[in-house]
Amino acid sequence: LAAGRTGHSAAQEVVRHYVRQKKRWALRFLQWRHGQAIDRDDVTHGLVAYALTKFDRRRALVKHFGDWRTREGAPAWSLLNLTTALRDLGRDEEAHAVSAAAMSRDEDHSHPKHAIWLALDAARSGDQAEARRLLETVGEEDVGAYYEFIIHTVRSILAVYDGSFAPGKETFR
């Protein structure tokens, strides 16, 4: 890590290796031993957040990314890990703020997923127009089954609002 960009590239590969090999304790040691150096690079920091997600360490991830508001260079994909951890912990308002911030970052593969979370929040708060607008930006084929379920949940909420859902109907608009 002291070797600058080269060191961070190596550290990123080490983190990926730990995830592939399920070396949870090795990651913890890396964080303990080199935490400050890891934190100096947004991508390395984000990959540690990803690893914490893979190891089901939500609270540790939230603590690790507690400074997300000051990490203007953190990629949107790294913020998605924080968003899902916060939602899993029932901290939806914070997760909403994270996703909203992520949408202002350079676009990457996580943007549609952030848009889906924001659409769910909009639908739940009654902002049907915003929920629809956000869903229009998402291609369902690009997000996977988990997010397809959330899309269907948003559509169900919207169908209840607009009256197109009624008991006994097999489909709705």
Side-chain angles (χ1 to χ4, degrees), residues 102-132:
M103 293 298 282
S104 69
R105 308 289 165 96
D106 289 342
E107 190 166 343
D108 63 25
H109 68 279
S110 72
H111 272 72
K113 295 172 183 176
H114 284 292
I116 292 166
W117 282 122
L118 294 172
L120 177 63
D121 293 339
R124 288 174 38 191
S125 70
D127 190 346
Q128 299 168 52
E130 179 66 0
R132 284 187 177 87

Side-chain angles (χ1 to χ4, degrees), residues 20-173:
R20 283 189 303 271
Q21 298 299 314
K22 300 180 172 96
K23 294 186 178 261
R24 178 182 181 147
W25 294 105
L27 178 70
R28 288 183 84 169
F29 181 77
L30 180 71
Q31 283 183 279
W32 173 76
R33 182 82 167 96
H34 300 287
Q36 289 181 339
I38 287 169
D39 289 348
R40 283 194 285 270
D41 181 81
D42 288 322
V43 173
T44 308
H45 185 268
L47 277 171
V48 169
Y50 164 75
L52 291 168
T53 298
K54 297 301 277 183
F55 294 142
D56 266 346
R57 300 198 55 231
R58 292 171 192 86
R59 291 186 201 298
L61 188 158
V62 171
K63 183 178 178 183
H64 172 73
F65 231 135
D67 63 346
W68 70 270
R69 291 182 198 283
T70 63
R71 289 189 165 277
E72 294 178 16
W77 61 260
S78 67
L79 293 175
L80 184 62
N81 294 308
L82 178 58
T83 295
T84 56
L86 287 166
R87 289 192 185 271
D88 287 347
L89 295 170
R91 295 164 62 174
D92 292 345
E93 287 181 26
E94 289 174 79
H96 178 88
V98 173
S99 283
M103 293 298 282
S104 69
R105 308 289 165 96
D106 289 342
E107 190 166 343
D108 63 25
H109 68 279
S110 72
H111 272 72
K113 295 172 183 176
H114 284 292
I116 292 166
W117 282 122
L118 294 172
L120 177 63
D121 293 339
R124 288 174 38 191
S125 70
D127 190 346
Q128 299 168 52
E130 179 66 0
R132 284 187 177 87
R133 184 192 71 74
L134 286 162
L135 284 185
E136 287 174 4
T137 68
V138 176
E140 280 184 65
E141 63 282 351
D142 300 329
V143 296
Y146 180 77
Y147 286 93
E148 284 179 28
F149 174 79
I150 299 169
I151 290 169
H152 291 294
T153 301
V154 172
R155 287 185 180 146
S156 296
I157 293 168
L158 294 173
V160 169
Y161 279 128
D162 71 17
S164 62
F165 177 81
K169 282 191 176 183
E170 293 185 26
T171 61
F172 48 88
R173 293 181 255 143

